[in-house]
């Protein structure tokens, strides 16, 4: 089997809401039971910066410092590496060389928010020539189930129906 990576997107304390809370346990259970499938498990950590577009265009001043930036309890030790990002997707130079060095061509994605950062990360990987697979049941959106469903619909349109799956790899 070809080397795979799991990228866990922004599962941080500050992004846990009633809409995303149940997803945390599903991700932790998946990693516990399926760790052997992955050459590497990468977590992304979003850090907002002073003067960012989040501040200037959305008037959103959260996720700049403190415990909200930490990975959620139960997942803090799961990743082999953590990639800090300051926008919707990781900087390609922070993620792609790692995957290339390990020979990874297939990347499974999960985390928060399906309609924003998971989608943007899938598109980054797609544009880099890697095959992203979004594990739909391990994603959610702080915007609620409608935003999660919209994110999945856009992801299907962008990277293909067969790349939005359940954890067994079956298209949804």
């Amino acid at each position: 089997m070809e080397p795979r990576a799991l990228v866990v997107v922004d599962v941080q304390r500050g992004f846990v809401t009633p809409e995303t809370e149940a997803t945390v346990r599903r991700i932790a259970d998946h990693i516990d039971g399926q760790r052997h499938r992955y050459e590497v498990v990468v977590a992304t950590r979003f850090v907002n910066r002073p003067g960012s577009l989040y501040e200037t265009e959305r008037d959103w001043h959260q996720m700049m410092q403190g415990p909200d930036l930490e990975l959620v309890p139960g997942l803090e030790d799961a990743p082999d590496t953590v990639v800090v990002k300051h926008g919707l997707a990781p900087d390609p130079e922070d993620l792609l060389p790692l995957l290339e060095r390990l020979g990874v061509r297939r990347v499974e994605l999960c985390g928060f928010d399906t309609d924003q950062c998971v989608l943007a990360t899938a598109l980054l990987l797609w544009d880099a020539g890697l095959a992203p697979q979004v594990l739909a049941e391990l994603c959610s959106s702080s915007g609620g189930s409608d935003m999660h469903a919209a994110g999945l619909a856009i992801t299907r349109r962008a990277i293909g129906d067969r790349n939005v799956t359940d954890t067994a790899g079956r298209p949804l």
Side-chain angles (χ1 to χ4, degrees):
M1 180 164 54
E2 66 185 338
R4 293 176 180 255
L6 177 67
V7 175
V8 181
V9 178
D10 299 352
V11 182
Q12 298 165 248
R13 290 176 183 240
F15 290 131
V16 175
T17 67
E19 294 81 13
T20 63
E21 192 170 35
T23 306
V24 173
R25 179 81 265 143
R26 290 193 303 267
I27 293 170
D29 289 347
H30 177 75
I31 293 171
D32 286 346
Q34 299 296 318
R35 180 65 179 89
H36 64 278
R37 287 175 48 177
Y38 303 110
E39 192 72 24
V40 65
V41 175
V42 178
T44 66
R45 177 180 295 151
F46 174 76
V47 178
N48 194 6
R49 293 180 179 169
S52 72
L53 290 175
Y54 293 101
E55 276 201 328
T56 63
E57 300 300 313
R58 294 180 63 188
D59 198 29
W60 189 68
H61 308 278
Q62 299 172 10
M63 300 300 288
M64 290 194 173
Q65 59 185 346
D68 280 352
L69 299 180
E70 296 172 12
L71 297 179
V72 297
L75 288 179
E76 65 270 26
D77 296 325
D80 298 305
T81 190
V82 176
V83 173
V84 174
K85 64 189 194 66
H86 302 288
L88 294 172
D91 184 318
E93 295 305 313
D94 292 336
L95 179 61
L96 299 178
L98 168 68
L99 300 176
E100 184 178 318
R101 187 173 62 252
L102 296 171
V104 170
R105 303 293 305 150
R106 169 96 27 211
V107 180
E108 296 178 10
L109 296 171
C110 63
F112 309 148
D113 278 334
T114 315
D115 55 310
Q116 294 184 61
C117 297
V118 173
L119 171 62
T121 303
L123 296 175
L124 166 83
L125 294 165
W126 180 268
D127 284 349
L130 299 172
Q133 182 179 350
V134 174
L135 304 176
E137 63 202 277
L138 301 182
C139 296
S140 56
S141 176
S142 59
S145 60
D146 288 347
M147 288 295 104
H148 171 68
L152 291 176
I154 293 167
T155 303
R156 280 186 192 95
R157 186 171 185 330
I159 65 171
D161 290 340
R162 72 179 182 193
N163 293 314
V164 177
T165 71
D166 63 14
T167 54
R170 295 180 297 258
L172 299 178

